[in-house]
Amino acid sequence: MSDYSHPPGSLYAYQPSQALPIIFAAITLILGIALAYQSFIHKWHYFNYLTTVASLVWFGGFVTRAITTFPIEDIVVYVELFIAQYVLIFMGPPLFAASESFILGRLLAYMPYHAPLHPGRTISTIVILNAIVEALAVTGATRNSNRFATDSQRAVGHKLVEASLILQMFIEICFITLIAIFERRGRRAGQFPRNARVLCRVLYITSLMMMVRCVVRIIEGFQISACPGLTQLWCGTIRRNEWFLWTFEVTNITLFVAALAIWHPGRFLPNDKNIYLDPVDHETERMGPGYGKADKRNFFVTVLDPSDMIGSLRGKDNMDRFWERDDPVVVRHGRGSRSEVQVETELTTKV
């Protein structure tokens, strides 16, 4: 598993472990079910859709990898399964990373007075960028792992994989920066409750985990870029040692998923994006119009300028600061469930 010995007729640069893919397939399935169950009871539906797809993709990667560790006589079937396991395992982490955007977007909507960007556009922008990462990763990984691909096709695939990793790193750096700005504003104002603190710590940790994965993959790319032709499948220290994959990719991202399952955002935030925290007492939850309706700008303008830099330069405030009004108080009898939310009709006066 850790020494370079390319088995005859195998596309692996080592004797692959037969047990680890099965173990991690089971762990992924368990964590995926745990995430889906919590998302269902807390009614975090969009978060549920993405994490479920990510879990199924990764589970499929481990299953196909487990199959390829056993003898397969049909070389065409073997190559197809090898490509499938490589692509699916490579696809999983960016999908899980995209799920972070829903947590940050809901945090910004919950405390809109500290939001550095439009919460809705934060989600859409990060999801779109991660979709680009996925497209680059799938296309590149497919070409990069195909034994029958030409040298030029494999070179293009390698560049696409590198581009996806660099873009993923850029996303994570921007993501951590947004969290830091949000937290700094909250702490300076003395308005940073425990639920926000917990989720920010989770997002810091998960983003750093994703960055570690990207760094290792980028180093792997540099190592194999100097290798000619088909030898790229077995070239470089990282590709020749299976433990790099199971440590920095699989175990690392599995802990990422476990963190989302243990500290599920539905435990800490309401499922309704229109509910926000009162900026005065830091305890009362109120039902507002939502950040999207409060932003007076055109939808496409908010996409291009989510922080309203143009408005700031012109000295024009395009935001209806609904959190400065006396919106109806929300009483949540449970965590996250919309059916358990009661909106009081009597308005309270802020101090």
Side-chain angles (χ1 to χ4, degrees):
M1 179 174 170
S2 60
D3 296 322
Y4 175 57
S5 59
H6 173 54
S10 173
L11 292 179
Y12 292 104
Y14 40 71
Q15 292 289 349
S17 170
Q18 295 179 331
L20 287 177
I22 298 172
I23 292 171
F24 278 98
I27 293 173
T28 300
L29 185 61
I30 292 169
L31 290 175
I33 293 172
L35 274 170
Y37 173 74
Q38 292 195 75
S39 297
F40 175 77
I41 63 173
H42 295 305
K43 298 191 176 181
W44 274 58
H45 299 306
Y46 293 111
F47 182 79
N48 188 17
Y49 299 149
L50 193 52
T51 54
T52 298
V53 170
S55 299
L56 289 174
V57 166
W58 233 30
F59 175 77
F62 294 131
V63 170
T64 51
R65 185 178 178 90
I67 295 172
T68 60
T69 61
F70 293 91
I72 300 176
E73 294 183 1
D74 191 327
I75 186 63
V76 176
V77 173
Y78 174 67
V79 170
E80 289 177 349
L81 287 172
F82 181 84
I83 295 172
Q85 64 84 26
Y86 184 87
V87 172
L88 291 173
I89 291 177
F90 198 88
M91 283 176 59
L95 287 172
F96 285 120
S99 66
E100 293 178 312
S101 64
F102 289 97
I103 304 175
L104 179 60
R106 191 57 55 84
L107 259 177
L108 299 184
Y110 187 64
M111 302 173 70
Y113 31 85
H114 298 321
L117 295 177
H118 187 300
R121 301 297 80 77
T122 299
I123 296 175
S124 60
T125 301
I126 295 177
V127 168
I128 290 171
L129 288 175
N130 274 284
I132 296 173
V133 169
E134 280 296 315
L136 292 172
V138 171
T139 306
T142 302
R143 294 189 177 196
N144 207 17
S145 59
N146 190 349
R147 179 178 181 179
F148 302 124
T150 63
D151 289 352
S152 60
Q153 289 175 331
R154 198 173 290 109
V156 171
H158 176 64
K159 294 298 181 184
L160 291 174
V161 168
E162 283 187 335
S164 74
L165 292 168
I166 292 171
L167 179 56
Q168 185 74 63
M169 279 286 290
F170 172 75
I171 293 171
E172 296 303 328
I173 291 171
C174 292
F175 193 83
I176 289 178
T177 302
L178 286 175
I179 302 169
I181 294 172
F182 173 74
E183 181 175 5
R184 182 172 177 271
R185 289 181 177 182
R187 290 189 181 278
R188 288 185 65 181
Q191 303 168 345
F192 211 64
R194 179 181 174 275
N195 57 345
R197 292 198 303 271
V198 170
L199 288 179
C200 280
R201 288 169 188 163
V202 171
L203 292 176
Y204 281 132
I205 293 170
T206 54
S207 292
L208 288 173
M209 286 178 169
M210 194 62 60
M211 290 176 70
V212 167
R213 177 252 181 189
C214 289
V215 168
V216 174
R217 285 287 193 178
I218 290 172
I219 294 173
E220 177 190 33
F222 283 127
Q223 289 179 351
I224 67 175
S225 61
C227 302
L230 190 59
T231 60
Q232 289 186 347
L233 291 173
W234 315 297
C235 182
T237 303
I238 293 177
R239 284 214 168 175
R240 291 179 179 180
N241 292 273
E242 191 179 20
W243 69 267
F244 277 100
L245 171 71
W246 295 110
T247 302
F248 296 106
E249 178 95 2
V250 179
T251 301
N252 179 34
I253 302 304
T254 298
L255 291 174
F256 174 112
V257 181
L260 295 183
I262 295 170
W263 293 281
H264 192 281
R267 293 175 49 202
F268 303 96
L269 294 175
N271 72 317
D272 193 323
K273 64 182 179 181
N274 294 333
I275 296 177
Y276 69 95
L277 189 67
D278 190 296
V280 177
D281 64 18
H282 323 318
E283 294 181 2
T284 305
E285 291 182 339
R286 297 180 179 273
M287 180 65 74
Y291 205 100
K293 292 182 179 178
D295 194 329
K296 305 170 187 176
R297 298 175 298 157
N298 180 277
F299 171 81
F300 295 103
V301 175
T302 65
V303 172
L304 297 173
D305 183 17
S307 60
D308 195 17
M309 293 182 63
I310 295 176
S312 299
L313 292 173
R314 292 178 176 178
K316 180 181 179 182
D317 189 355
N318 293 302
M319 175 59 62
D320 174 17
R321 298 177 177 273
F322 58 88
W323 54 85
E324 296 178 354
R325 299 196 302 262
D326 291 329
D327 284 324
V329 174
V330 171
V331 179
R332 285 195 289 148
H333 302 293
R335 289 189 180 273
S337 175
R338 184 71 177 88
S339 61
E340 296 178 356
V341 170
Q342 176 184 344
V343 181
E344 294 185 353
T345 54
E346 181 180 353
L347 303 183
T348 61
T349 304
K350 296 184 181 179
V351 179

